[in-house]
C-alpha cells in the first residue's frame, strides 16, 4: 500500500536501510527479550521491500519480459544463501556470530543508496532509458488498459476490490504453501547436513550452498522459459517445478549415500527456486501496475505466514520423531504438491482473473 501511495523507490530504499540497521542491531543484542524485539522490527523492513520491487518490474517491463526480469531479481533469493555460508562460516569461526551481523550492515546501506540513485517510479523519469524502450513499455501498458472507461475504473481499484478477485486468494495460498517449502528448506537444511549426514561445520557451509547455486540457475532459466513458452499459461510451468521439487526432496532423505543425497538436494534447490521466477509474472499479468504494490503485498503476506509456521512445524516434527528428519522432508514434499494443486486451480485468462470483472 505504501508503494502504491508514495512510490516504490522511497519504500524500497527505506526498507533496505531499515532492515540493514536491524541486522546490525541483532549483533548487539544482550538478552532474549531484546532479540525478539529487534527481529520483529527487522521483519517490518524486510517484508516491505518485495512489493515495491514487483511494482517496479510491473511498471518498467512489458508483459512478455516480466518473468525474465522477475527471475533476475528473484535469483537474489537463491544466490544470497548460496554465497552467505561461504564467508559467514569463516567470519563466525574467527570473530564470532555478532561480527557477521555487524558486517552485513555495510552492503545493505550501499544497495539502498544505489536504489535511490538509479531507480525511478516511472520509466519516463529515468535518463537511462531510450525513447524506443519507453515507447515499448507505454504501448504495452496501453494495451492492458484498452478503453478509457476501464482505465478509469482500474485506477480507482481499492485494496478491498483487489482481494475480491478469487485468483488473488488462490495466489495467496499457492505462495503460502510454496514458501513453506522455501523457508523450511533454508531453515533446516544446514541442521540436516550436520545432524543427519554428519558433515562438519565448514564442509556443511560449502554443501549447503550448492542447492542455492543450482537455484540461482533455476530462477534465471525459469523466467526465460516462462516468457518464451508459457505466457498466459504460466501455471503449467509452476506445476512442473513444484512436482519435481517434491520428488527430489523425497529422494534426498531416502538417498543411501552422501553423494546421492547432495545431488538430489541440489536438484531440489533448482526446482524450488525455479518456481519463483515464473510465479510473480502471474500477478503482474493480472494486476495493473497502479495497484501492484498492494496486490503483491497481499499475496506475499502468505509467504510471511509461511516464514512463521514452517520452521516451527519442521522443528516440532523433527523433535517428535526423535531427531529424524524423515517427517520434516515429507512435510516439505506434501506442501510442494499442495502448492501445485493451487496452481492447477488458476485460470489466468478467466473472468476470476480480470480486475474489470470487479469494476463492471
Amino acid at each position: 500500500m505504501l508503494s502504491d501511495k508514495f512510490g516504490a523507490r522511497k519504500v524500497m530504499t527505506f526498507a533496505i536501510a531499515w532492515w540493514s540497521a536491524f541486522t546490525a542491531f541483532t549483533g548487539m543484542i544482550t538478552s532474549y527479550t531484546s532479540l525478539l524485539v529487534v527481529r520483529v522490527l527487522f521483519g517490518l523492513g524486510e517484508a516491505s521491500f518485495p512489493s515495491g520491487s514487483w511494482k517496479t518490474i510491473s511498471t518498467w517491463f512489458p508483459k512478455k519480459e516480466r518473468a525474465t526480469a522477475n527471475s533476475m531479481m528473484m535469483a537474489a533469493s537463491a544466490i544470497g544463501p548460496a554465497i552467505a555460508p561461504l564467508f559467514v562460516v569463516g567470519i563466525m569461526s574467527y570473530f564470532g556470530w555478532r561480527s557477521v551481523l555487524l558486517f552485513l550492515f555495510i552492503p545493505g546501506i550501499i544497495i539502498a543508496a544505489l536504489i535511490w540513485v538509479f531507480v525511478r517510479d516511472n520509466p519516463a523519469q529515468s535518463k537511462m532509458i531510450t525513447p524506443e524502450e519507453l515507447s515499448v513499455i507505454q504501448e504495452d501498458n496501453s494495451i492492458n488498459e484498452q478503453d478509457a472507461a476501464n482505465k478509469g475504473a482500474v485506477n480507482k481499484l481499492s485494496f478491498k476490490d483487489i482481494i475480491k478477485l478469487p485468483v488473488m486468494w488462490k495466489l495467496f495460498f499457492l505462495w503460502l504453501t510454496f514458501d513453506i517449502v522455501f523457508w523450511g528448506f533454508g531453515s533446516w537444511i544446514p541442521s540436516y547436513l550436520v545432524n543427519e549426514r554428519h558433515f562438519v561445520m565448514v564442509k556443511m557451509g560449502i554443501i549447503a550452498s550448492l542447492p542455492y547455486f543450482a537455484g540461482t540457475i533455476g530462477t534465471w532459466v525459469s523466467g526465460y522459459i516462462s516468457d518464451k513458452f508459457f505466457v498466459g499459461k504460466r501455471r503449467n510451468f509452476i506445476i512442473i517445478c513444484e512436482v519435481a521439487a517434491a520428488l527430489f526432496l523425497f529422494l534426498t532423505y531416502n538417498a543411501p549415500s552422501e553423494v546421492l543425497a547432495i545431488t538430489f538436494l541440489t536438484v531440489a534447490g533448482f526446482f524450488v527456486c525455479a518456481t519463483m521466477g515464473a510465479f510473480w509474472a502471474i500477478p503482474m499479468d493480472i494486476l495493473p501496475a497502479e495497484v501492484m504494490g498492494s496486490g503483491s503485498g497481499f499475496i506475499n503476506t502468505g509467504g510471511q505466514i509461511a516464514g512463521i509456521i514452517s520452521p516451527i512445524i519442521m522443528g516440532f516434527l523433527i523433535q517428535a520423531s526423535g531427531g529424524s528428519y524423515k517427517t520434516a522432508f515429507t512435510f516439505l514434499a506434501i506442501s510442494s504438491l499442495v502448492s501445485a494443486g493451487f496452481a492447477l486451480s488458476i485460470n489466468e485468462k478467466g473472468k476470476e482473473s480480470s480486475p474489470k470483472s470487479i469494476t463492471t
Side-chain angles (χ1 to χ4, degrees), residues 4 28 65 100 151 165 168 237 264 281:
D4 287 339
M28 304 176 190
E65 298 176 356
V100 175
K151 182 177 180 181
L165 283 170
M168 292 298 289
F237 186 69
F264 291 144

Side-chain angles (χ1 to χ4, degrees), residues 246-258:
L247 172 63
F248 282 99
L249 284 168
F250 175 80
L251 291 174
T252 295
Y253 182 80
N254 291 281
S257 68
E258 289 183 1

Side-chain angles (χ1 to χ4, degrees), residues 147-347:
D147 57 87
N150 186 39
K151 182 177 180 181
V154 165
N155 288 337
K156 294 177 182 178
L157 279 176
S158 66
F159 178 74
K160 185 177 179 180
D161 293 326
I162 293 170
I163 61 175
K164 287 180 180 178
L165 283 170
V167 72
M168 292 298 289
W169 286 98
K170 293 178 181 180
L171 290 169
F172 176 95
F173 286 108
L174 192 167
W175 191 242
L176 188 156
T177 46
F178 162 78
D179 250 2
I180 283 177
V181 182
F182 185 80
W183 287 110
F185 193 86
S187 299
W188 283 98
I189 289 304
S191 297
Y192 164 73
L193 293 173
V194 171
N195 297 331
E196 191 90 1
R197 294 292 175 174
H198 307 297
F199 288 114
V200 297
M201 183 68 73
V202 174
K203 186 178 180 182
M204 178 279 294
I206 297 172
I207 299 301
S209 295
L210 294 179
Y212 291 105
F213 279 120
T216 302
I217 298 171
T219 309
W220 286 336
V221 170
S222 71
Y224 173 79
I225 293 176
S226 179
D227 277 340
K228 187 75 173 177
F229 303 108
F230 290 92
V231 174
K233 47 186 177 181
R234 300 186 194 273
R235 70 166 194 176
N236 297 340
F237 186 69
I238 292 172
I239 292 168
I240 293 170
C241 291
E242 299 217 83
V243 171
L247 172 63
F248 282 99
L249 284 168
F250 175 80
L251 291 174
T252 295
Y253 182 80
N254 291 281
S257 68
E258 289 183 1
V259 173
L260 275 178
I262 294 166
T263 301
F264 291 144
L265 185 64
T266 301
V267 177
F270 176 93
F271 284 109
V272 168
C273 295
T275 302
M276 296 189 296
F279 173 82
W280 281 105
I282 295 179
M284 289 178 195
D285 290 347
I286 293 171
L287 296 174
E290 290 83 359
V291 292
M292 186 60 194
S294 53
S296 62
F298 168 73
I299 296 168
N300 197 43
T301 300
Q304 299 300 315
I305 294 171
I308 297 170
I309 65 175
S310 182
I312 296 173
I313 293 175
M314 287 192 67
F316 172 79
L317 291 173
I318 293 166
Q319 185 177 31
S321 59
S324 171
Y325 284 72
K326 183 176 182 178
T327 53
F329 271 86
T330 302
F331 169 66
L332 294 183
I334 292 173
S335 296
S336 190
L337 293 175
V338 171
S339 187
F342 281 115
L344 183 63
S345 71
I346 293 173
N347 182 357

